[in-house]
Amino acid sequence: MQPTTNFMQNQTLILIQCQDAVGLVANISNTLAKYQLNIITMREYVDEEANKFFVRVVCNGLFPDQTQLSNSLAEVLPPSAQIQVNPSNRKKIVVLVTKEHHCLADILVRQHFETWGAEVQAVIGNYDTLRSFTDKFEIPFHCISHEDLSKEDFENQLIAQIKQYTFDYIILAKFMRILSPLFVATFENKLVNIHHSFLPAFIGANPYKQAHSRGVKIIGATAHFVTDQLDEGPIIVQDVRHVNHNYTVKDMVTAGKEIERAVLSRAIRLLSEDRVMLNDYKTIVFE
Amino acid sequence: MQPTTNFMQNQTLILIQCQDAVGLVANISNTLAKYQLNIITMREYVDEEANKFFVRVVCNGLFPDQTQLSNSLAEVLPPSAQIQVNPSNRKKIVVLVTKEHHCLADILVRQHFETWGAEVQAVIGNYDTLRSFTDKFEIPFHCISHEDLSKEDFENQLIAQIKQYTFDYIILAKFMRILSPLFVATFENKLVNIHHSFLPAFIGANPYKQAHSRGVKIIGATAHFVTDQLDEGPIIVQDVRHVNHNYTVKDMVTAGKEIERAVLSRAIRLLSEDRVMLNDYKTIVFE
Amino acid sequence: MQPTTNFMQNQTLILIQCQDAVGLVANISNTLAKYQLNIITMREYVDEEANKFFVRVVCNGLFPDQTQLSNSLAEVLPPSAQIQVNPSNRKKIVVLVTKEHHCLADILVRQHFETWGAEVQAVIGNYDTLRSFTDKFEIPFHCISHEDLSKEDFENQLIAQIKQYTFDYIILAKFMRILSPLFVATFENKLVNIHHSFLPAFIGANPYKQAHSRGVKIIGATAHFVTDQLDEGPIIVQDVRHVNHNYTVKDMVTAGKEIERAVLSRAIRLLSEDRVMLNDYKTIVFE
Amino acid sequence: MQPTTNFMQNQTLILIQCQDAVGLVANISNTLAKYQLNIITMREYVDEEANKFFVRVVCNGLFPDQTQLSNSLAEVLPPSAQIQVNPSNRKKIVVLVTKEHHCLADILVRQHFETWGAEVQAVIGNYDTLRSFTDKFEIPFHCISHEDLSKEDFENQLIAQIKQYTFDYIILAKFMRILSPLFVATFENKLVNIHHSFLPAFIGANPYKQAHSRGVKIIGATAHFVTDQLDEGPIIVQDVRHVNHNYTVKDMVTAGKEIERAVLSRAIRLLSEDRVMLNDYKTIVFE
């Protein structure tokens, strides 16, 4: 695993995905050399089946004119290439919660001490439970209760509230409402969920109860992008922990929370450093 | 995790399971003290939901008369208690294979150097592929091809061959035939399988292909007792390894073999040291 | 690893250490059975070399009279036996810090949401850096600067401040001053430190710099009791993480903080559940 | 961690190390593009402190003329550049052993089933213990006893025997003799050792005894190149396993062997796939 802590100060970050072809690395690196940009790290991946090329390049020195560099790269790449030069190096996030604090607390502490490149814009809960904790960190908290509302009305209020903010990602930090396809479509590729199991095992509700009944020896958690398919979106990070016959369901939940917190935290860090690229139903993670 | 290497030389091992009640530990330890047996380790588990008590005790000194000790214990335990005193401290195993060598090789090497308490009686393959390797270790190899045979006939031949041997466990070391309920019933609680995935994810065939398509970040393996339900038997050991987008299906298979080998090896060691007790659909593993 | 989350509500917890002898488990369990206490878990360890016996027993039901039970147990145990019945089931801790927040923040969040049995009485820093964060959680913060003070005077002030509080443990949560033998002796067996390396590798200062120069592929952290010998006290918890050639010293520090936080957190949880017993230079951890 | 299993069939592998400069990637990738070589994976590392550049490139298609490609690359790189094109894609190894079988057995089994790119040329033991096992695999075994010989004479015989073979690496697979600086110098950068601890903890003999006395909660193993400094050579692979107070020294040895085997096996695989580059006292491992 690579370190994921170097912020992009005095560096130029370039992300490209396009159809694969001979000479892409040459074309890209020629362009960079032309601008006297020295490559510090270049990580690329070729999906041979899909004939697609992905690359993440970090160069020494902050190149002043992003548009110029982007255009120069576009000239030497296939027409459909997606090019990003220095995407915002601090990601803005909106965090959705229900009642559980473990993921939110981790996010707010890191935010407070600025230990990563993510900036919480607001926390939105369908209960008021986590308001006072969020207040400590001087982050806006909005409660939008799902009670007495149709799913449609609830989601519309939620969407309206979210749209009050500028954001790169919406983090579902133990947000316990199933979202409609419409909601998901509204925020395509921006919704990141922490699922309380090692997907694809134990899809759906009560995974720890399922895990306990099954007598598993390992439990896990999965951070993934949200798509229409419940718990089926592209996986970003997974991790596990050994358990044994002594674990009650409650013990599994407690142990699971530690994994959930760590996995979501890692996913947000990777996203904030632009190390995650989407490749259809999967992710490429340049750790 | 506890060490699992001390063989039972000059020790008395006792396994008990029965209905739970107040005073069981007192009754058992009184009996042991009466015989001047000093308890080295005692591991017990109470399944509160099922009201069942499980214990594994190791005492200093080999008690000469197993029947006497067993009877003395029975007198102070509920009538339904299952008591084992010094179950054979070297387990005899019959190994079933198809073509893959990684688990078998590990078993035969450990057998050869006597690094665990399991003794391979014979290897049976539905192909002849692994005969010459098995021959190196002077272990009988029998090939029973499933080709040109009905499933029933194949299994009958297999059963007949297995029954030529005395054994404690039948190890399915990458035996790639699905066994009938009848076969499973014939060897109840004696069949141990290594499944090439982290159950319950990816049940059935081609788990690595499934894992690759799903873009998982972790793959695993599961050693479990075999029951009628495909891949649903009580789990003994599970382990995992991190993977990433660079892994092809073939890479996952290769990495998976390392996990399979380690997981099955650990399961056999635990079984050979009588550290695994069955509790309906689950296991208790006194590691 | 066992779960460590079940608090001792409606349970009786007993810790005993004494010289080993035949019949100890019998004597203990007889006494418990006499009081109709049903053993839920009993974990014992015999140090055969030192001829010492250690046991941790959890029984169903809260026994009302601790002294009576303790006396009854003393009657059937060797004279030197140390017996604890229901030691305070919430541990009071005083936390010492310098400037780094990662361990303190974890402790304060768990304190705030009461997710473990430890209660922070106060935070004491030799800098004022972490005051405002501590204030958010309404925990007293005292700054005792080491600047302009002799080591002796500094420690005397520290001792005086600590003694204002009732506490079970003093947690050195990245407290970056080396403590004198006198200080250590003042709080014997009560000082718990998080060391930023996998002891005994890289004893002393700048372990990550040492680790980087050495090109290690793994870094770690160690929670341990503090004794006179620098970084030589009994180890409670250790954990590690893989690193590689890409890690700068700074990356190692960042990754190390995650391990430090997790390791110290786990150590405090184990201590708060009375799962750690001292055995000279080592610990017994009944996880 | 990257998969390490894809052999270099129909691929061109290029390894380069040289002084760092702007445009190196461009120069290299231009040269490759000129020959219509499509880059599958390119992993590079810049040691900014030492101003050195390292790269490992895999291209689609086997380029027929290695010398031509190497010369073309040399033209566009600094004069001191070290360039390797398609280094032998199966590494020849000579294995040195004493009495312990666990590492050797793993190597011979993988050799037998050709699951990696290493080819054992011979096994040399300072005892005859492992001859019969080696014989099973039809690999030459030579016994050169150190008894009744001066260290110098012993090593001279050893060197003479080793030099009977063509080899890329000499694997010290639990070879329990300390080698002289002269011996080490004779086979510079070719000697790979498995050390039975997590270096730099417990340098020297009896690490498990040291680990037990210290009450560590983790034990490990280290595969490293051998240099003059005992146990100080560049580290290739390290791994660990959790232990606890129940482990005797013997249990630690047993658990340690499993780690040693796995770590050495992984190191040989990485070497056989040319994923390891030396950078003074450290390694770069392009996993």
Side-chain angles (χ1 to χ4, degrees):
Chain A
M1 207 182 294
Q2 308 299 309
T4 60
T5 58
N6 39 326
F7 291 105
M8 300 292 120
Q9 294 156 335
N10 300 315
Q11 296 187 334
T12 298
L13 172 68
I14 300 148
L15 300 172
I16 298 167
Q17 54 178 298
C18 61
Q19 210 184 339
D20 193 28
V22 173
L24 288 179
V25 173
N27 290 347
I28 294 164
S29 50
N30 283 335
T31 303
L32 299 177
K34 196 177 75 185
Y35 290 116
Q36 290 298 309
L37 286 165
N38 191 22
I39 296 171
I40 302 291
T41 65
M42 173 183 260
R43 296 289 301 273
E44 85 300 309
Y45 172 67
V46 174
D47 182 335
E48 295 188 69
E49 215 171 306
N51 197 36
K52 291 201 307 201
F53 172 84
F54 302 81
V55 75
R56 179 183 185 274
V57 192
V58 181
C59 300
N60 236 340
L62 181 59
F63 193 76
D65 187 339
Q66 297 179 23
T67 313
Q68 182 189 6
L69 183 54
S70 186
N71 289 344
S72 293
L73 286 165
E75 284 169 22
V76 299
L77 293 171
S80 64
Q82 299 172 37
I83 305 162
Q84 290 177 280
V85 176
N86 282 331
S88 66
N89 75 29
R90 295 188 71 74
K91 300 300 176 200
K92 295 185 190 336
I93 61 177
V94 170
V95 183
L96 269 57
V97 297
T98 294
K99 291 178 171 177
E100 289 172 275
H101 73 275
H102 54 288
C103 289
L104 177 65
D106 185 80
I107 290 168
L108 291 179
V109 167
R110 289 177 197 272
Q111 153 90 6
H112 181 78
F113 289 105
E114 300 185 353
T115 59
W116 63 11
E119 283 176 359
V120 182
Q121 304 303 299
V123 177
I124 304 174
N126 61 322
Y127 287 93
D128 213 43
T129 314
L130 295 168
R131 179 187 295 277
S132 69
F133 184 75
T134 305
D135 282 352
K136 289 186 197 301
F137 294 86
E138 286 153 41
I139 299 291
F141 183 94
H142 308 281
C143 178
I144 297 175
S145 173
H146 63 282
E147 287 169 11
D148 305 325
L149 287 183
S150 70
K151 181 165 188 137
E152 195 184 343
D153 286 348
F154 170 64
E155 291 195 346
N156 283 339
Q157 290 193 20
L158 205 53
I159 290 169
Q161 184 63 70
I162 292 169
K163 287 192 168 171
Q164 297 295 311
Y165 293 94
T166 307
F167 60 89
D168 296 286
Y169 296 104
I170 301 165
I171 307 297
L172 307 179
K174 306 294 290 175
F175 182 67
M176 306 307 275
R177 308 298 300 171
I178 292 173
L179 298 166
S180 72
L182 184 64
F183 185 98
V184 172
T186 307
F187 301 114
E188 203 187 344
N189 296 345
K190 290 183 177 302
L191 286 162
V192 174
N193 186 44
I194 178 69
H195 182 78
H196 41 183
S197 96
F198 172 56
L199 292 173
F202 307 126
I203 289 174
N206 275 328
Y208 295 118
K209 199 160 186 335
Q210 292 181 58
H212 187 262
S213 303
R214 185 64 186 84
V216 296
K217 303 300 185 190
I218 286 178
I219 57 170
T222 302
H224 62 100
F225 285 102
V226 181
T227 56
D228 273 13
Q229 298 297 94
L230 175 62
D231 300 335
E232 285 288 331
I235 294 169
I236 305 167
V237 177
Q238 299 192 292
D239 210 355
V240 298
R241 179 183 285 207
H242 286 265
V243 296
N244 62 37
H245 59 271
N246 281 306
Y247 280 69
T248 61
V249 174
K250 199 181 149 216
D251 293 327
M252 285 189 177
V253 170
T254 304
K257 284 177 180 174
E258 301 288 326
I259 320 173
E260 290 164 18
R261 184 179 76 155
V263 163
L264 182 58
S265 179
R266 178 146 192 84
I268 296 173
R269 181 178 293 279
L270 291 167
L271 289 166
S272 75
E273 298 178 4
D274 289 299
R275 292 177 184 276
V276 183
M277 296 180 87
L278 271 166
N279 181 19
D280 270 335
Y281 304 112
K282 304 186 207 174
T283 63
I284 294 150
V285 180
F286 291 124
E287 287 180 295
Chain B
M1 205 182 294
Q2 308 299 310
T4 61
T5 58
N6 40 326
F7 291 104
M8 299 292 121
Q9 295 155 334
N10 300 314
Q11 297 187 333
T12 298
L13 172 68
I14 300 149
L15 300 172
I16 298 168
Q17 56 179 297
C18 61
Q19 210 183 339
D20 193 29
V22 173
L24 287 180
V25 172
N27 291 346
I28 293 165
S29 50
N30 283 335
T31 303
L32 298 178
K34 197 177 74 182
Y35 289 117
Q36 291 297 311
L37 285 165
N38 191 21
I39 296 172
I40 302 291
T41 66
M42 172 183 261
R43 295 291 300 273
E44 85 301 307
Y45 173 67
V46 174
D47 182 336
E48 296 189 69
E49 215 172 306
N51 196 37
K52 292 201 306 201
F53 172 83
F54 301 81
V55 73
R56 180 183 185 274
V57 193
V58 180
C59 301
N60 236 340
L62 180 59
F63 192 77
D65 188 337
Q66 297 179 23
T67 312
Q68 183 188 5
L69 182 53
S70 186
N71 289 344
S72 294
L73 286 165
E75 284 168 20
V76 298
L77 293 170
S80 65
Q82 297 172 37
I83 304 163
Q84 289 176 280
V85 175
N86 282 331
S88 65
N89 75 29
R90 295 187 69 74
K91 300 299 177 202
K92 294 185 191 334
I93 61 177
V94 170
V95 183
L96 268 58
V97 298
T98 295
K99 289 177 173 177
E100 289 171 275
H101 74 274
H102 55 289
C103 289
L104 177 65
D106 185 80
I107 291 168
L108 291 178
V109 168
R110 289 177 197 272
Q111 152 89 9
H112 181 77
F113 289 105
E114 300 185 353
T115 58
W116 63 11
E119 284 176 359
V120 182
Q121 304 303 298
V123 177
I124 304 173
N126 61 321
Y127 287 92
D128 213 44
T129 315
L130 295 167
R131 177 187 297 278
S132 69
F133 184 75
T134 306
D135 283 351
K136 289 185 196 304
F137 295 86
E138 286 154 42
I139 299 291
F141 183 94
H142 307 281
C143 178
I144 297 176
S145 173
H146 62 282
E147 287 170 11
D148 305 323
L149 287 184
S150 69
K151 182 167 188 134
E152 195 184 343
D153 286 348
F154 170 64
E155 289 195 347
N156 282 338
Q157 290 193 19
L158 205 53
I159 290 169
Q161 184 62 68
I162 291 169
K163 288 193 167 169
Q164 298 295 311
Y165 293 95
T166 306
F167 60 90
D168 296 285
Y169 295 105
I170 300 165
I171 307 297
L172 308 179
K174 304 296 290 175
F175 182 67
M176 306 308 276
R177 307 299 299 173
I178 293 173
L179 298 166
S180 71
L182 184 64
F183 185 98
V184 171
T186 307
F187 301 114
E188 203 187 347
N189 297 345
K190 290 183 177 300
L191 286 161
V192 174
N193 185 43
I194 177 70
H195 182 78
H196 41 182
S197 96
F198 172 54
L199 291 174
F202 307 126
I203 289 175
N206 274 328
Y208 295 117
K209 199 162 185 336
Q210 291 181 59
H212 187 261
S213 303
R214 184 65 186 83
V216 297
K217 302 299 186 190
I218 285 178
I219 58 169
T222 302
H224 63 99
F225 285 103
V226 180
T227 56
D228 272 14
Q229 297 298 93
L230 175 62
D231 299 336
E232 285 288 334
I235 294 168
I236 305 167
V237 177
Q238 297 192 292
D239 210 352
V240 299
R241 179 182 285 206
H242 286 264
V243 295
N244 62 36
H245 60 270
N246 281 307
Y247 280 69
T248 61
V249 173
K250 199 180 149 216
D251 293 326
M252 285 190 177
V253 169
T254 304
K257 284 177 180 174
E258 301 287 327
I259 319 173
E260 291 164 17
R261 185 179 74 154
V263 164
L264 182 58
S265 179
R266 177 145 193 86
I268 295 173
R269 181 178 292 278
L270 290 166
L271 289 166
S272 75
E273 298 178 4
D274 289 299
R275 293 177 183 276
V276 183
M277 296 179 86
L278 270 165
N279 181 20
D280 270 335
Y281 303 112
K282 305 185 206 175
T283 63
I284 294 150
V285 180
F286 291 125
E287 285 180 296
Chain C
M1 204 183 296
Q2 307 299 310
T4 62
T5 60
N6 39 326
F7 291 104
M8 299 293 120
Q9 296 155 334
N10 300 314
Q11 297 188 334
T12 298
L13 172 68
I14 300 149
L15 300 172
I16 297 167
Q17 55 178 298
C18 61
Q19 212 184 336
D20 194 29
V22 173
L24 288 179
V25 172
N27 291 346
I28 294 164
S29 51
N30 283 335
T31 303
L32 299 178
K34 196 177 74 182
Y35 289 116
Q36 291 297 310
L37 286 166
N38 191 20
I39 296 171
I40 302 291
T41 66
M42 172 183 260
R43 295 290 300 274
E44 85 300 309
Y45 171 67
V46 175
D47 182 335
E48 296 189 68
E49 216 172 305
N51 196 36
K52 293 201 307 200
F53 172 83
F54 301 82
V55 74
R56 180 184 186 273
V57 192
V58 181
C59 300
N60 235 341
L62 180 59
F63 193 76
D65 188 339
Q66 296 179 23
T67 314
Q68 183 188 5
L69 183 53
S70 186
N71 289 343
S72 294
L73 286 165
E75 285 168 21
V76 299
L77 293 171
S80 65
Q82 298 171 38
I83 304 163
Q84 289 176 279
V85 175
N86 281 332
S88 67
N89 76 29
R90 294 187 70 75
K91 301 300 176 201
K92 295 186 191 333
I93 61 178
V94 170
V95 183
L96 270 57
V97 298
T98 294
K99 290 179 171 175
E100 290 172 274
H101 73 275
H102 55 287
C103 289
L104 177 65
D106 185 80
I107 290 168
L108 291 178
V109 167
R110 289 178 197 273
Q111 152 89 7
H112 181 78
F113 289 105
E114 300 185 353
T115 58
W116 62 11
E119 284 177 358
V120 183
Q121 304 303 298
V123 177
I124 305 174
N126 61 322
Y127 287 93
D128 213 44
T129 315
L130 295 167
R131 180 187 294 278
S132 70
F133 185 75
T134 306
D135 283 351
K136 289 185 195 301
F137 294 86
E138 286 153 45
I139 299 291
F141 183 95
H142 307 281
C143 178
I144 297 175
S145 173
H146 63 282
E147 287 170 10
D148 305 323
L149 288 183
S150 69
K151 182 165 187 137
E152 195 183 342
D153 286 348
F154 171 64
E155 290 196 347
N156 283 338
Q157 290 193 21
L158 205 53
I159 290 169
Q161 184 62 70
I162 291 169
K163 288 193 168 170
Q164 298 295 312
Y165 293 94
T166 307
F167 60 89
D168 296 286
Y169 295 104
I170 300 165
I171 307 297
L172 307 179
K174 304 295 290 174
F175 182 67
M176 307 308 275
R177 308 298 300 170
I178 292 173
L179 298 166
S180 72
L182 184 65
F183 185 97
V184 171
T186 307
F187 302 114
E188 204 188 344
N189 297 346
K190 290 183 176 301
L191 286 162
V192 174
N193 186 44
I194 178 70
H195 182 77
H196 41 184
S197 94
F198 171 56
L199 292 174
F202 308 125
I203 289 174
N206 275 329
Y208 295 118
K209 199 161 185 336
Q210 291 182 58
H212 187 261
S213 302
R214 185 66 185 83
V216 297
K217 302 300 186 191
I218 286 179
I219 58 171
T222 302
H224 62 99
F225 285 103
V226 180
T227 57
D228 272 14
Q229 298 297 95
L230 176 62
D231 300 335
E232 283 289 333
I235 294 169
I236 305 167
V237 178
Q238 299 191 291
D239 210 353
V240 298
R241 179 184 285 206
H242 286 265
V243 296
N244 62 37
H245 60 272
N246 281 305
Y247 280 69
T248 61
V249 174
K250 200 181 148 217
D251 292 327
M252 284 190 177
V253 170
T254 304
K257 284 177 179 174
E258 301 287 326
I259 319 174
E260 292 165 17
R261 184 178 77 155
V263 164
L264 181 58
S265 179
R266 175 143 194 88
I268 296 174
R269 180 178 293 278
L270 290 166
L271 289 166
S272 74
E273 298 178 4
D274 289 298
R275 292 177 183 277
V276 183
M277 297 180 86
L278 270 165
N279 181 19
D280 271 335
Y281 304 112
K282 305 185 206 175
T283 63
I284 294 149
V285 181
F286 291 125
E287 286 179 295
Chain D
M1 205 180 297
Q2 308 300 310
T4 61
T5 58
N6 40 328
F7 291 104
M8 299 293 119
Q9 295 156 334
N10 300 315
Q11 297 188 334
T12 298
L13 172 68
I14 300 149
L15 300 172
I16 297 167
Q17 55 178 295
C18 60
Q19 211 184 340
D20 193 29
V22 173
L24 287 179
V25 173
N27 291 346
I28 294 164
S29 51
N30 283 335
T31 304
L32 298 178
K34 195 177 76 184
Y35 289 117
Q36 291 296 311
L37 285 166
N38 192 22
I39 296 172
I40 302 292
T41 66
M42 172 184 262
R43 296 290 299 274
E44 85 299 309
Y45 172 67
V46 174
D47 182 335
E48 295 189 70
E49 215 172 306
N51 197 36
K52 292 202 306 201
F53 171 83
F54 301 81
V55 74
R56 179 183 186 274
V57 192
V58 181
C59 301
N60 236 340
L62 181 60
F63 193 77
D65 188 339
Q66 297 179 22
T67 313
Q68 183 189 5
L69 182 53
S70 186
N71 290 344
S72 294
L73 287 165
E75 285 168 21
V76 298
L77 294 170
S80 65
Q82 297 172 38
I83 304 162
Q84 288 177 280
V85 175
N86 282 331
S88 65
N89 76 30
R90 295 188 70 74
K91 301 299 177 201
K92 294 187 191 333
I93 62 177
V94 171
V95 183
L96 269 57
V97 297
T98 295
K99 290 178 173 178
E100 290 171 275
H101 73 275
H102 55 288
C103 289
L104 177 65
D106 185 79
I107 291 168
L108 291 179
V109 167
R110 289 178 197 271
Q111 153 89 9
H112 181 77
F113 288 106
E114 301 185 353
T115 59
W116 62 10
E119 283 177 1
V120 183
Q121 304 304 298
V123 177
I124 304 174
N126 61 322
Y127 287 93
D128 213 43
T129 316
L130 295 167
R131 179 188 295 279
S132 70
F133 184 75
T134 306
D135 283 351
K136 289 186 195 303
F137 294 86
E138 286 154 43
I139 299 291
F141 183 94
H142 308 281
C143 178
I144 297 175
S145 174
H146 62 282
E147 289 170 10
D148 305 323
L149 286 185
S150 69
K151 184 169 185 130
E152 195 183 342
D153 286 349
F154 170 64
E155 290 195 346
N156 283 338
Q157 290 192 21
L158 206 52
I159 290 170
Q161 183 64 69
I162 292 169
K163 288 193 166 169
Q164 298 295 311
Y165 293 95
T166 306
F167 60 90
D168 296 285
Y169 296 105
I170 300 165
I171 307 298
L172 307 179
K174 306 294 289 174
F175 182 68
M176 306 308 275
R177 308 299 299 172
I178 293 173
L179 298 166
S180 71
L182 184 65
F183 185 98
V184 172
T186 307
F187 301 114
E188 204 188 344
N189 297 345
K190 291 184 176 299
L191 286 162
V192 175
N193 186 43
I194 178 70
H195 182 77
H196 40 182
S197 96
F198 171 54
L199 292 174
F202 308 125
I203 288 174
N206 274 329
Y208 295 118
K209 198 160 186 337
Q210 292 182 58
H212 187 261
S213 303
R214 184 65 186 85
V216 298
K217 303 299 187 191
I218 286 179
I219 57 171
T222 302
H224 62 100
F225 285 102
V226 180
T227 57
D228 272 14
Q229 298 297 94
L230 176 62
D231 299 337
E232 284 289 333
I235 294 169
I236 305 167
V237 177
Q238 299 191 292
D239 210 353
V240 298
R241 178 183 285 207
H242 286 265
V243 296
N244 61 37
H245 60 272
N246 282 307
Y247 280 70
T248 61
V249 174
K250 200 181 148 215
D251 292 328
M252 285 191 177
V253 170
T254 304
K257 284 177 180 175
E258 301 287 327
I259 319 173
E260 291 164 17
R261 184 179 76 155
V263 164
L264 182 57
S265 179
R266 176 143 193 87
I268 296 174
R269 180 178 294 278
L270 291 167
L271 289 166
S272 75
E273 297 178 5
D274 290 299
R275 293 178 183 274
V276 183
M277 295 178 87
L278 270 165
N279 181 20
D280 271 335
Y281 303 112
K282 304 186 207 173
T283 62
I284 294 151
V285 181
F286 292 124
E287 286 179 295

